[in-house]
Amino acid sequence: QEQLVEAGGGSVQAGGSLRLSCKASGYTPYSWTLAWFRQGPGKEREGVAAIYTGGSPTYYAASVKGRFTISQDKAKNMLYLQMNNLTSEDTGMYFCAAGKIPPAVATAWALAPAQYTNWGQGTQVTVSS
């Protein structure tokens, strides 16, 4: 059975780092794209980063490119999001998601919430300035 369980959220000061993890059970490699989304207070859910389970490509929102890194450990069924140089704008609930998106699509397509069918419960990230 497919399941997504996030962990690793917390509170950090601006400029700090956090690493989120997601246990992605039941997802066959090469059939899914896994992603991280976030939803800040009063904001719509937005795509942060995505990775095709075949290993590449990866996709990033412009606001996090160069600061965040998405990665996966297929042997452990784990998805990660390393977040560096955090700002208050990064505050929000972070969700792990899975969708049957083929590789080599446009970034906007890969980071669109509507393309994802399975979602985790979320983990809160709070960045204080």
Side-chain angles (χ1 to χ4, degrees):
Q1 184 176 354
E2 298 149 358
Q3 192 175 19
L4 299 167
V5 181
E6 303 96 335
S11 296
V12 64
Q13 289 192 330
S17 298
L18 279 175
R19 188 194 195 202
L20 305 183
S21 62
C22 174
K23 180 73 172 179
S25 304
Y27 291 95
T28 305
Y30 300 96
S31 297
W32 296 87
T33 292
L34 300 177
W36 289 97
F37 288 80
R38 67 185 180 189
Q39 189 163 13
K43 297 181 180 179
E44 293 186 356
R45 191 169 296 189
E46 63 172 344
V48 174
I51 185 167
Y52 175 60
T53 52
S56 63
T58 55
Y59 309 87
Y60 292 95
S63 58
V64 306
K65 204 167 187 178
R67 299 188 299 124
F68 291 12
T69 302
I70 190 170
S71 63
Q72 60 180 334
D73 184 331
K74 284 184 273 189
K76 297 181 179 179
N77 294 324
M78 295 295 295
L79 179 72
Y80 302 102
L81 185 68
Q82 177 67 42
M83 305 185 294
N84 298 327
N85 195 20
L86 287 160
T87 75
S88 58
E89 293 298 306
D90 298 315
T91 292
M93 186 70 78
Y94 282 69
F95 300 90
C96 178
K100 288 201 171 183
I101 302 170
V105 299
T107 297
W109 186 267
L111 297 181
Q115 302 305 321
Y116 291 81
T117 54
N118 298 0
W119 295 83
Q121 294 298 308
T123 185
Q124 178 69 35
V125 172
T126 302
V127 184
S128 58
S129 56

